């Protein structure tokens, strides 16, 4: 039996866990620790929330000034490439 | 076999080569904002990032005939962007870090003082455990102060961590494409992502703690 994972070790493995990059045995140790540790479960949930909240920064807005400048560049390119 | 996405891309490229403005507008709507955001991790101001992105688009148009579909159109466009941004950063006298370089200032994901010391019976288990965040708003309606705090936390990251978290978590790309665009190994990408996310979590923890009544 492998030594149990400590909380301090677990927090360094969260991204590997999310990315599915933990070897099977290591994943089992990770999940076994989580099952018995509320604090680490909360930590994991916070990392999930962090990822989700970062995703909220996504925007698709193009400023009108930038859009106009780009269209002009496009038209110049079109003329030049004919 | 081509996937529907690839077919759509090839169609876009064909339309662009023929000078169809609508195709260009569609592409700008899709990628411009993300490109500016990524460019900001290479150069010092938003205005310069806008300029770099504009320059990259011109590079995209001029290079269209060279696009062979060996990578996705998005990967190809973002590679042009990062190359343009790196050139500008060097002109600005900014250091562009090597991709293999770890940031020596980086500590662990969580402040070591939050854990029990080695002499404790519960060595390396939580001493000051995280508490549940009670007031997390839905990400789809994120606004105001919290949004600014996340933005600031990401802007404060070392450039490569910022680049990785920007593409992975803000734009939602997969790791393979991020590695291709940023020229990183899969392992380095994951280490950078881990450090970036851990720091943003720490910033969020501080933010949510402020809302709680003092003990």
């Amino acid at each position: 039996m492998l030594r149990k994972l400590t909380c301090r070790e677990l927090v360094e493995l969260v991204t590997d866990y999310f990315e599915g990059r933990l070897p099977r045995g290591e994943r089992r140790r990770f999940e076994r620790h989580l099952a018995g540790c509320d604090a680490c479960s909360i930590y994991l949930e916070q990392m999930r929330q962090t990822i989700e909240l970062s995703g909220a920064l996504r925007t698709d807005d193009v400023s009108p000034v930038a859009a106009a400048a780009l269209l002009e560049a496009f038209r110049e390119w079109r003329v030049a490439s004919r | 076999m081509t996937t529907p996405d690839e077919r759509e891309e090839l169609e876009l490229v064909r339309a662009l080569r023929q000078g169809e403005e609508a195709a260009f507008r569609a592409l700008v709507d899709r990628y411009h904002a993300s490109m500016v955001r990524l460019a900001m991790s290479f150069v010092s101001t938003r205005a310069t990032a806008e300029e770099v992105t504009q320059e990259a688009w011109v590079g995209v148009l001029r290079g269209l005939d060279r696009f062979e579909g060996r990578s996705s159109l998005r990967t190809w466009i973002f590679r042009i962007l990062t190359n343009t941004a790196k050139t500008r950063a060097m002109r600005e006298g900014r250091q562009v870090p090597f991709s293999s370089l770890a940031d020596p200032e980086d500590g662990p994901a969580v402040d070591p003082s939050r854990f029990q010391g080695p002499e404790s019976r519960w060595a390396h288990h939580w001493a000051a455990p995280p508490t549940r965040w009670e007031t997390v708003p839905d990400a789809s309606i994120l606004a105001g102060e919290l949004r600014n705090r996340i933005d600031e936390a990401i802007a404060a990251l070392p450039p490569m961590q910022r680049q990785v978290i920007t593409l992975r978590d803000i734009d939602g790309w997969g790791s393979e494409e991020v590695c291709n665009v940023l020229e990183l190994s899969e392992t380095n990408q994951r280490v950078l992502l881990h450090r970036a996310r851990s720091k943003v979590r720490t910033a969020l923890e501080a933010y949510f703690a402020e809302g709680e009544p003092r003990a």
Side-chain angles (χ1 to χ4, degrees), chain B residues 16-205:
Chain B
L16 278 175
R17 281 177 179 151
Q18 296 194 335
E20 286 176 28
E21 204 167 284
F24 185 63
R25 278 174 196 263
L27 215 53
V28 168
D29 282 345
R30 204 178 294 174
Y31 299 135
H32 185 77
S34 303
M35 289 163 74
V36 173
R37 185 175 281 282
L38 184 63
M40 283 174 69
S41 65
F42 289 89
V43 296
S44 51
T45 65
R46 179 163 193 111
T48 312
E50 287 274 3
E51 272 173 43
V52 161
T53 308
Q54 176 103 13
E55 203 181 320
W57 278 118
V58 173
V60 166
L61 292 172
R62 293 203 180 130
L64 265 183
D65 287 333
R66 292 195 307 273
F67 177 72
E68 292 167 334
R70 260 186 276 142
S71 64
S72 76
L73 182 60
R74 179 168 79 170
T75 301
W76 184 72
I77 290 173
F78 276 74
R79 281 294 285 267
I80 293 174
L81 176 80
T82 54
N83 286 329
T84 310
K86 279 180 201 164
T87 306
R88 174 64 76 98
M90 280 196 287
R91 239 188 294 147
E92 273 191 334
R94 274 196 152 202
Q95 292 277 325
V96 181
F98 284 106
S99 54
S100 58
L101 229 59
D103 190 330
E105 285 169 33
D106 263 318
V110 174
D111 182 346
S113 71
R114 300 274 304 265
F115 300 100
Q116 316 257 1
E119 70 294 336
S120 152
R121 181 170 167 237
W122 295 103
H124 309 304
H125 288 258
W126 291 99
T131 52
R132 222 174 275 289
W133 296 339
E134 301 295 351
T135 50
V136 182
D138 193 89
S140 63
I141 52 158
L142 187 65
E145 175 67 3
L146 177 55
R147 191 190 176 90
N148 290 339
R149 292 288 279 271
I150 302 171
D151 217 357
E152 282 165 17
I154 292 177
L157 295 170
M160 289 173 46
Q161 291 179 26
R162 184 175 175 187
Q163 286 152 27
V164 171
I165 199 173
T166 296
L167 291 178
R168 287 296 310 274
D169 291 349
I170 300 181
D171 290 322
W173 291 22
S175 63
E176 198 185 329
E177 194 175 8
V178 172
C179 290
N180 280 336
V181 164
L182 300 178
E183 298 178 271
L184 290 170
S185 72
E186 208 278 327
T187 305
N188 281 354
Q189 186 255 174
R190 203 160 5 105
V191 169
L192 291 163
L193 182 62
H194 182 66
R195 289 176 172 165
R197 283 175 176 172
S198 301
K199 287 181 201 165
V200 176
R201 190 210 66 88
T202 302
L204 285 172
E205 184 174 53

Side-chain angles (χ1 to χ4, degrees), chain A residues 1 11 14-15 21 25 28 39-40 42 55 59 79-80:
Chain A
M1 242 296 278
V11 300
V14 172
T15 304
R21 301 302 293 222
R28 225 177 284 132
C40 283
I42 290 172
T59 51
V79 170

